[in-house]
Amino acid sequence: MFESKSGVLLVAGLGFFVFAFLSNGLVPALMYRDLPEKSVEELAADNSNLMYQFEDLSYRYPEQFAKYYGVPSDETLAEALRLGRRTYVAEGCWHCHSQFVRPVAREDERWGPVSRTDEYQNVLQRPVMFGTRRVGPDLSREGGRHGNDWHAAHFFQPTLVSAGSPMPEHPWFFDGSPDLPNRRGIAIITYVQWLGSWLESYPYYEDYEPIELPDDDE
Amino acid sequence: MRRIMWVMAIGILVPSLYGFGTKFLEFIALYRGDVEGAFAISPILNYLLASLGFLCLFLWAVLHGMFRDVEQPKYTMLENEQRLDTEAPWRPEIGMQYPAGHRLRMPRLGRSTDPNRFREFYEHDG
Amino acid sequence: MIDTQAVPPDAARHEDLVDDPIVVAYFLAALCFLFVSMLAGLLMALQLVSWNPLQGIELLSPGRWRMVHTNAVAYGFLANAFLGALHWAIPRLTMRPVLDRRLSWFIFVAWQVVVGCTALGIVVGPTLQAMSPAWEQLPFSFGAQGVEWGETPTWIDPLALAGLLLVGINFMAPISRAKGPLYVASWYFMAAFVWTFLTYAMGNFLPQYWLTGTSAGAVGGLFIHDLVGLFVTPLGWGLMYYFVPIMLRKPIWSHGLSLVGFWGLAFFYPLNGIHHFLYTPIPMFLQRGAIIATIAVEMVVFTVIVNFFGTIWGSGRQLITNLPIRWFYTGMVLYGLTCLQCALQTTLTFQAVIHFSDWVVGHAHLVMFGVFSLWLLGIMTYLFPRLWRTEWYSRDLCEWHFWLSAVGVFVMFADLTLAGLFQGYYWGSLRPWDVSVDGSVPFWMVRVFAGLAMFAGQLCFAYNLYRTWKAARLGPAPSAAKPAPVPQAS
């Protein structure tokens, strides 16, 4: 068994790998199997915070918006989110920005509420964008923190609005100047504005205090 | 050699046993603490059971005559290798043996390639 | 293909077993990708200290080249160099050639296509896709995939997987034909072929097509860790078990102990993955289990290190005179350091401070360059003169290659580890984010120069290699060709 080749192949190669996969990979999948996975359309449909930002983009950059997306609607918002996420992955944003707030190191005081599983249960987190390194800040509570103009200028040339920022410039998100975001530019801004927009504490994440509502029963 | 080995073995074993012991006590405390505790030790139980199964397989293998001569392959491998090298078209030292006491100095680039420049190294090595 | 029945294994000669040109081809391809990777790393390092002279060019985006940096190292440099070394080691270990030499060459070409397409996809893919709205409507991205260490675009994944399967088949033929109890190196190789295939399939397909969110994160963690632990580590140690005894001309200290190392690694290593995502919403009991398994694997690793130091015991002088041995043992010392660091940094206590910081980056460089690249460069230092039948052009360049690489990576590791601690405490102190960036800049400066030293080391190697090749073209040099009396090095 242990000196034979089939033993090495079956026990060490296959057996231990499968054991590890079952006990570490499959367990969370089974635990969360009842949490529904939201599609992009569902994410776009009932999110007034995000729709507000998307419409704001169409007012600020009317020609560009009309050229690339037409009018703001649930469908075009879903389209922008999808392309935004794709761009976020393809440009490697996730290697310098994380998307989870940990329950330690006073992160909830800096960023806002600690991340929960259900926040990640949607198609835009497939594969999940936990991130690996924070050269720049965590982005999971970034939506609504800055205006769309700030983001446009920041993507065009980060040092315009954030002195000393080591973030690379992304002029290819624009048709030549920061007030002309192109298809990818509008998409990536929409995606960043989406992050955290589903939370009740949006957009005052870390300073948010829930208001005591009068009891419904009375 | 043997004494150093013992010192090393104790030096590694004592702190690691201590570490495992305290972790284990921590887990027992966790287990007794609350309902979640039972969950916390489930991977440990899982791993213990799996390694127990592995141990049984191992004992079975020993009883069936494996590991009679566990050190043999390392000699066979070395013999094969030396035989291959004696028939190979290169000297056994090529690419690895250099004289001791060679001082690190700036490389002189562009010097002509003298095929005999390493001969002295080998002859000193004998 | 050479019929193994025609050549009795006991009478096999090197020429029957090893296809020298393919070893050379793999090594040269590996070095090409190493240069690509190092240039990409340099670009990112310059970007971080705001010295990037190529700012704002889409195809030179540091974000994209950062992914090329890691992928070129993992799949371009390490995989190619491993395959080259395996084409030497496995036939000589088993005394049998690989399944088919034509298949070897096919795999070689296919693998370069895979790695080339990965780089091309990551760099050019997004630009190309943005050119036509029809392409943007496609359900998949031309560019990177969102899995760390698996950024290989989704459209290449099946090809890469097929390549890994062929590699396994090609090498399993000689191993399966070998008789008698196998030497430990073969165990590592066999297991690695299975593991690499399974790991690649798991990491590139499951989080992309079947799993979402947190559960995808758990599988992603397994993938990141298994890629290091079940692809790079077993091949690396397997090659060490092969090359160290033959260079020291004495057997490994204890073959029995090496089996403890193998089975311990096989059992505990796959259980570690989730320690990459501590404090995430992944269930806490799984995180604790991963931490325990990690600490267990570090103990197993120490048995392996003890075994190798037991082997060199009494031949310590070889560390000075034998250059490849020096590469190997430097790598092993750094490996011990890595594992010590590992056992500490995966605990929740350390993670609270260092997660997401440059500490992790330092650790990754120490493992990938400080251990496995040093071993592979040592193997190349040993094998190129044999493959080309001539000594190295310059001993001094070999020394410079070693010292610049080893010192460079150590400085980078120490610098980034320290930077990580500073960053962790800056963040925890809740001072503005810019403070942590400004505080990191001095460390990033040091990192640029450490990286330049490593790069300079590889330039020395490349030049040395070029001159050695030129000398080899003139025919085997008399000093390298075998003379009648061989002065045996003791």
Side-chain angles (χ1 to χ4, degrees):
Chain A
M1 181 56 66
F2 295 93
E3 284 190 315
S4 70
K5 292 158 207 157
S6 54
V8 173
L9 285 177
L10 295 176
V11 178
L14 202 61
F16 288 171
F17 186 92
V18 170
F19 172 68
F21 175 72
L22 292 180
S23 61
N24 284 262
L26 203 64
V27 168
L30 289 176
M31 285 176 71
Y32 301 134
R33 70 186 184 282
D34 294 330
L35 272 180
E37 182 187 19
K38 282 190 183 166
S39 68
V40 187
E41 281 71 22
E42 284 173 301
L43 290 174
D46 54 346
N47 191 332
S48 54
N49 292 336
L50 182 59
M51 186 48 97
Y52 171 82
Q53 297 288 357
F54 199 53
E55 284 171 352
D56 181 73
L57 278 167
S58 75
Y59 302 142
R60 281 173 200 268
Y61 315 109
E63 284 98 45
Q64 295 297 104
F65 196 95
K67 182 175 163 196
Y68 291 110
Y69 289 93
V71 286
S73 69
D74 284 355
E75 289 75 42
T76 46
L77 178 56
E79 191 188 329
L81 272 179
R82 212 175 274 126
L83 179 63
R85 139 98 197 183
R86 183 182 285 176
T87 308
Y88 185 84
V89 173
E91 299 293 346
C93 306
W94 53 297
H95 283 299
C96 291
H97 293 281
S98 59
Q99 282 189 25
F100 81 90
V101 180
R102 304 184 302 154
V104 285
R106 299 160 81 187
E107 291 200 356
D108 52 338
E109 286 176 58
R110 186 190 280 276
W111 312 113
V114 170
S115 302
R116 294 190 323 266
T117 293
D118 54 321
E119 291 183 55
Y120 298 96
Q121 207 68 14
N122 58 63
V123 174
L124 291 183
Q125 291 291 354
R126 180 196 268 218
V128 73
M129 286 288 107
F130 281 154
T132 179
R133 173 80 176 83
R134 275 183 194 154
V135 178
D138 185 273
L139 293 184
S140 54
R141 279 92 183 87
E142 179 61 29
R145 255 182 221 278
H146 296 104
N148 290 324
D149 278 350
W150 186 93
H151 277 298
H154 187 252
F155 276 117
F156 189 79
Q157 190 183 326
T159 44
L160 285 177
V161 286
S162 166
S165 165
M167 181 169 139
E169 298 166 9
H170 291 82
W172 53 93
F173 291 165
F174 302 88
D175 292 336
S177 88
D179 55 352
L180 297 172
N182 61 17
R183 197 176 168 76
R184 277 188 285 174
I186 292 171
I188 189 91
I189 294 173
T190 312
Y191 177 77
V192 173
Q193 294 287 21
W194 168 68
L195 295 166
S197 64
W198 54 81
L199 290 172
E200 193 193 338
S201 50
Y202 173 93
Y204 303 107
Y205 306 101
E206 68 277 10
D207 300 325
Y208 172 78
E209 278 174 27
I211 306 160
E212 291 292 325
L213 291 174
D215 217 331
D216 286 340
D217 298 339
E218 286 166 22
Chain B
M1 178 74 201
R2 189 161 284 266
R3 199 178 305 155
I4 289 172
M5 209 183 78
W6 276 109
V7 170
M8 272 179 78
I10 291 169
I12 292 173
L13 275 179
V14 168
S16 46
L17 281 177
Y18 171 75
F20 264 117
T22 47
K23 269 284 168 209
F24 195 68
L25 290 178
E26 214 175 277
F27 271 117
I28 291 176
L30 205 67
Y31 174 64
R32 290 196 174 152
D34 55 63
V35 196
E36 298 279 306
F39 246 17
I41 60 159
S42 68
I44 311 301
L45 279 180
N46 189 4
Y47 299 162
L48 281 179
L49 282 176
S51 39
L52 204 68
F54 181 62
L55 201 69
C56 292
L57 270 177
F58 177 73
L59 287 177
W60 177 86
V62 172
L63 289 176
H64 276 71
M66 290 187 184
F67 302 111
R68 281 285 150 71
D69 197 3
V70 74
E71 299 295 319
Q72 184 52 41
K74 72 179 185 187
Y75 299 110
T76 321
M77 168 267 198
L78 211 61
E79 282 159 18
N80 283 346
E81 189 63 34
Q82 281 178 347
R83 205 175 47 70
L84 279 177
D85 250 7
T86 50
E87 289 171 12
W90 53 68
R91 300 172 54 148
E93 298 81 12
I94 191 168
M96 48 192 248
Q97 291 298 340
Y98 298 96
H102 181 94
R103 286 252 187 83
L104 189 61
R105 54 173 190 223
M106 286 310 285
R108 279 172 294 160
L109 303 181
R111 135 186 92 144
S112 70
T113 47
D114 169 15
N116 289 319
R117 68 201 175 281
F118 281 104
R119 172 156 288 169
E120 46 172 338
F121 298 160
Y122 294 132
E123 281 160 9
H124 288 302
D125 248 352
Chain C
M1 179 186 167
I2 292 183
D3 187 7
T4 41
Q5 305 308 315
V7 185
D10 295 339
R13 290 171 311 133
H14 174 78
E15 294 75 24
D16 307 326
L17 298 174
V18 178
D19 187 9
D20 284 353
I22 203 164
V23 183
V24 175
Y26 269 122
F27 283 171
L28 294 181
L31 289 172
C32 287
F33 284 115
L34 182 63
F35 276 98
V36 171
S37 173
M38 288 188 123
L39 286 173
L42 187 63
L43 183 74
M44 192 68 206
L46 289 175
Q47 173 66 42
L48 284 177
V49 294
S50 307
W51 286 353
N52 183 2
L54 306 164
Q55 189 67 264
I57 303 169
E58 179 166 9
L59 293 182
L60 292 173
S61 159
R64 295 182 197 173
W65 280 89
R66 190 260 186 222
M67 297 189 268
V68 173
H69 174 62
T70 51
N71 278 273
V73 151
Y75 305 108
F77 174 65
L78 289 178
N80 270 325
F82 273 136
L83 285 170
L86 288 177
H87 269 287
W88 179 279
I90 288 185
R92 286 176 68 108
L93 198 59
T94 57
M95 303 298 271
R96 279 159 185 82
V98 294
L99 181 64
D100 194 327
R101 288 191 180 188
R102 282 164 305 177
L103 180 62
S104 307
W105 281 101
F106 175 74
I107 295 171
F108 172 76
V109 174
W111 194 251
Q112 307 322 312
V113 170
V114 165
V115 185
C117 283
T118 303
L120 213 62
I122 289 172
V123 174
V124 185
T127 313
L128 195 67
Q129 197 158 20
M131 280 179 180
S132 149
W135 286 341
E136 265 181 352
Q137 297 301 325
L138 289 174
F140 65 95
S141 169
F142 289 2
Q145 184 183 5
V147 177
E148 200 183 1
W149 288 106
E151 287 93 348
T152 321
T154 44
W155 47 276
I156 308 172
D157 285 339
L159 184 62
L161 201 60
L164 291 175
L165 186 67
L166 288 180
V167 168
I169 293 172
N170 202 20
F171 281 128
M172 276 313 292
I175 295 181
S176 66
R177 284 185 198 140
K179 297 275 186 304
L182 286 179
Y183 180 60
V184 61
S186 308
W187 298 39
Y188 276 105
F189 296 151
M190 282 164 72
F193 297 138
V194 182
W195 285 332
T196 309
F197 179 82
L198 291 175
T199 302
Y200 197 90
M202 173 182 78
N204 283 279
F205 296 116
L206 288 186
Q208 185 77 34
Y209 302 111
W210 287 290
L211 296 173
T212 319
T214 310
S215 8
V219 172
L222 289 181
F223 172 70
I224 298 172
H225 201 75
D226 287 358
L227 202 70
V228 182
L230 300 183
F231 156 56
V232 178
T233 305
L235 290 181
W237 278 118
L239 289 171
M240 284 303 100
Y241 275 117
Y242 170 73
F243 279 109
V244 168
I246 65 172
M247 277 185 215
L248 292 176
R249 301 214 172 84
K250 56 181 180 182
I252 190 80
W253 186 51
S254 163
H255 195 246
L257 189 61
S258 68
L259 299 185
V260 174
F262 171 78
W263 285 101
L265 179 135
F267 183 70
F268 286 114
Y269 229 129
L271 298 169
N272 288 359
I274 291 178
H275 71 204
H276 286 258
F277 292 124
L278 297 182
Y279 292 121
T280 50
I282 294 173
M284 209 59 204
F285 70 94
L286 289 180
Q287 299 185 25
R288 288 182 193 279
I291 295 169
I292 292 287
T294 309
I295 295 172
V297 95
E298 310 318 346
M299 313 207 125
V300 173
V301 155
F302 273 98
T303 67
V304 180
I305 293 176
V306 165
N307 205 351
F308 275 91
F309 279 87
T311 308
I312 202 172
W313 198 269
S315 317
R317 204 172 163 66
Q318 297 266 342
L319 290 174
I320 302 170
T321 59
N322 191 328
L323 202 52
I325 284 289
R326 198 195 306 156
W327 281 101
F328 296 163
Y329 276 83
T330 311
M332 279 178 219
V333 171
L334 294 182
Y335 191 81
L337 192 61
T338 313
C339 291
L340 194 67
Q341 198 192 14
C342 235
L344 298 174
Q345 76 194 10
T346 55
T347 57
L348 292 167
T349 323
F350 272 66
Q351 279 297 306
V353 179
I354 58 151
H355 196 72
F356 287 135
S357 76
D358 267 332
W359 172 298
V360 185
V361 183
H363 179 72
H365 281 92
L366 187 67
V367 179
M368 287 309 207
F369 194 90
V371 181
F372 297 104
S373 300
L374 288 199
W375 287 353
L376 286 166
L377 292 169
I379 290 173
M380 288 185 193
T381 305
Y382 172 72
L383 285 187
F384 267 119
R386 277 151 205 266
L387 293 163
W388 284 344
R389 317 277 195 262
T390 183
E391 252 307 348
W392 281 106
Y393 159 71
S394 161
R395 160 84 197 276
D396 291 317
L397 282 171
C398 282
E399 291 281 351
W400 279 98
H401 179 209
F402 172 80
W403 286 108
L404 285 171
S405 304
V407 173
V409 75
F410 190 80
V411 169
M412 183 181 282
F413 152 73
D415 172 63
L416 289 178
T417 304
L418 207 56
L421 286 174
F422 272 80
Q423 287 156 357
Y425 283 108
Y426 277 132
W427 298 339
S429 74
L430 294 185
R431 274 188 279 174
W433 189 266
D434 309 3
V435 175
S436 77
V437 175
D438 294 342
S440 308
V441 169
F443 293 104
W444 289 339
M445 296 269 186
V446 174
R447 186 253 288 272
V448 171
F449 289 103
L452 282 173
M454 285 152 70
F455 191 63
Q458 309 320 307
L459 284 179
C460 292
F461 189 52
Y463 182 73
N464 204 3
L465 205 60
Y466 168 69
R467 294 302 295 250
T468 309
W469 172 73
K470 266 184 81 175
R473 248 186 358 167
L474 302 172
S479 73
K482 197 178 178 69
V486 179
Q488 276 290 335
S490 53

